[in-house]
Amino acid sequence: MSVLLLRLAGPLQSWGASSRFARRGTEVAPTKSGVIGLLAAAKGLRRTEPLTELLGLEFGVRLDQPGQLLRDFQTARSLDGRQSAPLTYRFYLSDAAFLAAVSGERELLHGLAQALARPRFPLYLGRRSCPPAGPISLGVHDDTLDDALTHWPWLAAKWHRRKLASTVRLEIIRDVRPGEPVTETVPDEPISFDPAHRQHTWRTVLRRHVDMTNDLAERAGVNGHDPLSLLGG
Amino acid sequence: MSRTIIDVYALQTVPPSNLNRDDTGSPKTAVYGGHRRARVSSQAWKRAIRLAFAGLLDRSQLGERTKRVGESLATRIKELDPSISDEAASALAAEAFVAGGLAKAEKKKGEVKDVESGYLLFLSHRQLDNLAAAALEAARDGSTLDRARFKALVNTEHSVDVAMFGRMVADMADINVDAACQVSHAISVHAVDNEFDYFTAVDDRKADAAETGAGMIGTIEFNSSTLYRYATVDVDALHRTLGDASATRAAVEAFLTAFARSMPTGKQNTFAHRTLPDAVLVRLRDTQPINLVGAFETPIRETHAAGRIELAAAELAKHTVAVETAYGERPVGSWVTQVGEKTAVLADLGKAVSFSELVSGVGEQVTTALGQPA
């Protein structure tokens, strides 16, 4: 198996899974439908075209720098300013960085990596006003999804790492494989992006963690904090 | 398949101002690099760009975004045939949108009301003119517009603003237009804290009455910032929608001009924040758009020796070279317009020219890239 790794980082991103109407939320991490959509856009697939081979990809993401929730208030007016549309609230993740991975056939992933370097449609992190900071693709690697998400260097910024302890637990959210326990079920398995009948089905995900050594921790020893030891425990 | 992508970067200093505020009246902000930054939403600046288009392009190249589609079409029908009554014109307009499936038929008969779409509908002036002509023609033949003809009319002769910013119609996805440009939220290159201006307003007649005290008091929140602004235009997508190389060039030139010179108007009368960018950098690429915001992930801190803009320009120049070297990216063309010594370091990144030369230089190369003689 091969795996294509992506760095999804920028001042703002927004990954909606179940938003409707005037309140547009974001999940805490990139969604599978969002990332498959991004890959489809890179390849130049129109929304009405079948996603075929992209649907078989296994997806996982590591929350390297979770970011903060930002609520954006938005009004819309006609050009003459006389009439306004309903007020809307949009939610973004600001200051976040994620390592996303898709695994599948090597050939297919190479094609996707090339498409990311020369995308047919402009790419964005969940919403059009959120262009990524810098190029996205970290290349195709001969690795499993799990190993890649566990071993790839931590993408968090230095300022973020300095604030944390010397060992940091990063969350990984990935597709569940047959026989594994399900942590959560979300409406995030894309079938078609056709705007006339957009279709998602339920995606079962598993949450696990990886411990990362943080050599930039400025509060050394925080991790060694074990109050019970005083009690001889 | 060759690609043409225009990346536009601008550094722009704004004085104390509140050009884009949230529902509590505070200037919008976002956290980046662990520090709070001033933010101007992409939507706010896109509106300013659309308004600026009116001074740069002919009306026939622009459109109208409104719910009051019936009123708009009825006016045009009247213009084409002044003999028609107001009611008949409104009825014809309503019929056209009902036939097209974008408005519901009135339940009550009798009084004629202008139909509205349930959402802001973006149509080009030419499309509206064509609809008016077609509706009149159908009425003269004693028939009505059918849905196929309606769709055909709203899917041809797109205006520059519709092509740039896109059109989303949930009820009828096949008349959607994919936006050719992508505008990011502007954020400050440095950390900011919003500040409060406490004000009093004195009643003019109070002096005569020898009264003291203010007529009213209040506070206005504001900040001042040096903004990093970024937008990218997909020239191929623009060309597909407009269908014509010279219209594409005109659209690109108008967009660059409007992007650099426009300004959201929030609290403009209070703060007069009418600045122009300190520097504009344009990179023409044949690969991928590259947002260089990473240059400012570590916020700029001014020193005794150098101010924000000077340090920001240096960071942007350094980061541009670093990213492009790391990924083997080579822009096909590059132009810079910069003001004064402080942003001089950016001039090394491309052809240093005046802004009008920048615009026409990019326009020329767009024409070449689209395979047409300049």
Side-chain angles (χ1 to χ4, degrees):
Chain A
M1 256 338 201
S2 300
V3 60
L4 166 65
L5 295 178
L6 313 171
R7 175 182 176 273
L8 303 175
L12 297 174
Q13 17 194 328
S14 185
W15 304 95
S18 55
S19 297
R20 286 283 179 274
F21 311 117
R23 199 179 169 86
R24 317 298 301 194
T26 176
E27 302 294 303
V28 297
T31 56
K32 185 172 188 178
S33 54
V35 174
I36 298 292
L38 179 132
L39 296 173
K43 283 194 74 99
L45 289 176
R46 306 212 64 96
R47 289 190 186 87
T48 45
E49 289 179 60
L51 294 165
T52 50
E53 45 188 20
L54 296 181
L55 295 181
L57 294 171
E58 189 185 26
F59 175 70
V61 59
R62 191 176 76 194
L63 283 65
D64 281 18
Q65 186 176 313
Q68 295 188 24
L69 194 65
L70 173 87
R71 191 195 71 162
D72 188 51
F73 167 72
Q74 192 186 322
T75 60
R77 279 176 296 162
S78 60
L79 195 60
D80 60 13
R82 282 187 301 171
Q83 33 171 345
S84 60
L87 307 177
T88 63
Y89 294 93
R90 278 143 215 253
F91 290 80
Y92 297 87
L93 294 174
S94 67
D95 221 2
F98 301 100
L99 174 69
V102 288
S103 97
E105 291 305 319
R106 201 185 154 78
E107 288 276 295
L108 170 65
L109 297 182
H110 269 292
L112 290 173
Q114 274 170 10
L116 287 172
R118 295 174 71 91
R120 285 287 280 128
F121 296 119
L123 307 179
Y124 47 86
L125 306 175
R127 190 169 285 151
R128 204 174 174 93
S129 62
C130 308
I136 286 180
S137 173
L138 297 170
V140 177
H141 306 269
D142 286 319
D143 210 343
T144 65
L145 186 96
D146 277 296
D147 285 348
L149 287 177
T150 310
H151 300 307
W152 190 263
W154 194 12
L155 299 178
K158 281 184 182 161
W159 64 265
H160 179 75
R161 291 159 60 177
R162 279 194 205 102
K163 294 200 301 191
L164 301 173
S166 49
T167 305
V168 176
R169 179 152 280 200
L170 300 180
E171 188 168 25
I172 290 174
I173 304 175
R174 69 155 168 83
D175 290 341
V176 165
R177 293 179 202 125
E180 285 181 332
V182 174
T183 317
E184 206 184 339
T185 308
V186 283
D188 182 34
E189 187 73 48
I191 295 177
S192 166
F193 294 121
D194 186 342
H197 37 84
R198 197 182 312 192
Q199 255 185 307
H200 290 92
T201 133
W202 294 92
R203 170 179 172 228
T204 47
V205 299
L206 178 127
R207 289 176 188 253
R208 47 177 288 258
H209 295 92
V210 54
D211 285 330
M212 203 55 84
T213 306
N214 180 16
D215 49 6
L216 289 174
E218 284 181 352
R219 295 183 299 154
V222 170
N223 252 38
H225 179 65
D226 182 11
L228 291 177
S229 65
L230 288 173
L231 303 171
Chain B
M1 158 104 211
S2 90
R3 290 284 280 133
T4 307
I5 289 158
I6 299 170
D7 277 338
V8 199
Y9 312 90
L11 292 174
Q12 183 161 5
T13 303
V14 290
S17 56
N18 186 351
L19 44 160
N20 181 212
R21 53 197 188 266
D22 68 14
D23 45 349
T24 65
S26 311
K28 286 184 174 179
T29 59
V31 175
Y32 186 51
H35 292 264
R36 189 155 295 281
R37 313 296 182 97
R39 174 170 68 95
V40 182
S41 73
S42 60
Q43 300 88 357
W45 221 304
K46 282 193 290 186
R47 181 176 167 82
I49 293 170
R50 268 193 71 210
L51 289 167
F53 274 167
L56 296 166
L57 293 163
D58 188 69
R59 190 180 143 86
S60 66
Q61 292 169 292
L62 295 172
E64 187 177 53
R65 186 164 171 255
T66 180
K67 283 186 196 176
R68 304 219 291 241
V69 288
E71 184 187 315
S72 175
L73 190 57
T75 316
R76 284 160 213 269
I77 291 173
K78 279 283 288 177
E79 275 165 18
L80 285 178
D81 184 356
S83 71
I84 218 164
S85 74
D86 287 355
E87 288 75 25
S90 290
L92 267 182
E95 241 169 57
F97 283 109
V98 171
L102 290 178
K104 288 202 180 75
E106 281 286 308
K107 278 179 193 148
K108 282 185 209 158
K109 296 242 166 156
E111 198 182 326
V112 183
K113 254 176 64 185
D114 286 318
V115 289
E116 295 198 2
S117 52
Y119 33 77
L120 294 168
L121 183 63
F122 205 172
L123 292 169
S124 78
H125 287 306
R126 282 190 312 229
Q127 287 165 354
L128 284 162
D129 289 342
N130 295 343
L131 276 178
L136 261 181
E137 196 187 303
R140 281 178 191 142
D141 297 351
S143 63
T144 48
L145 273 183
D146 62 8
R147 184 177 272 225
R149 177 111 171 92
F150 180 90
K151 276 187 191 170
L153 289 174
V154 297
N155 260 341
T156 43
E157 303 217 51
H158 290 298
S159 56
V160 169
D161 45 7
V162 171
M164 272 296 176
F165 300 122
R167 174 166 74 197
M168 221 302 266
V169 183
D171 299 352
M172 204 187 278
D174 50 353
I175 65 163
N176 284 353
V177 177
D178 269 330
C181 81
Q182 189 179 9
V183 180
S184 78
H185 294 235
I187 62 165
S188 64
V189 301
H190 51 87
V192 302
D193 286 314
N194 288 344
E195 295 182 60
F196 292 86
D197 182 39
Y198 169 81
F199 68 88
T200 63
V202 180
D203 189 321
D204 285 351
R205 295 190 74 99
K206 270 192 177 170
D208 305 342
E211 275 179 52
T212 57
M216 72 169 288
I217 58 171
T219 54
I220 296 175
E221 223 174 321
F222 69 94
N223 59 39
S224 81
S225 54
T226 297
L227 298 169
Y228 164 80
R229 300 174 52 207
Y230 168 69
T232 179
V233 180
D234 183 333
V235 177
D236 304 309
L238 189 62
H239 188 225
R240 276 197 298 276
T241 309
L242 293 175
D244 172 31
S246 69
T248 306
R249 174 179 178 166
V252 163
E253 294 191 351
F255 181 81
L256 288 175
T257 308
F259 178 82
R261 305 185 84 110
S262 67
M263 182 60 103
T265 52
K267 291 210 174 283
Q268 193 165 64
N269 289 349
T270 309
F271 290 108
H273 55 257
R274 296 168 188 269
T275 60
L276 288 168
D278 300 281
V280 180
L281 167 66
V282 174
R283 302 287 247 193
L284 198 80
R285 304 186 191 277
D286 59 3
T287 52
Q288 57 187 327
I290 301 177
N291 179 2
L292 298 168
V293 67
F296 308 110
E297 189 181 357
T298 304
I300 300 291
R301 282 210 176 88
E302 65 269 43
T303 63
H304 289 299
R308 277 173 190 166
I309 187 66
E310 199 171 341
L311 296 169
E315 278 304 318
L316 183 60
K318 208 167 74 186
H319 191 69
T320 307
V321 174
V323 171
E324 290 179 352
T325 308
Y327 287 88
E329 290 282 340
R330 303 186 77 174
V332 187
S334 182
W335 299 260
V336 184
T337 296
Q338 48 84 220
V339 182
E341 291 289 300
K342 289 179 179 164
T343 52
V345 60
L346 287 169
D348 302 338
L349 290 177
K351 265 183 227 159
V353 288
S354 73
F355 187 66
S356 62
E357 288 167 323
L358 176 144
V359 170
S360 58
V362 177
E364 234 164 76
Q365 197 154 337
V366 161
T367 310
T368 314
L370 291 174
Q372 301 284 326

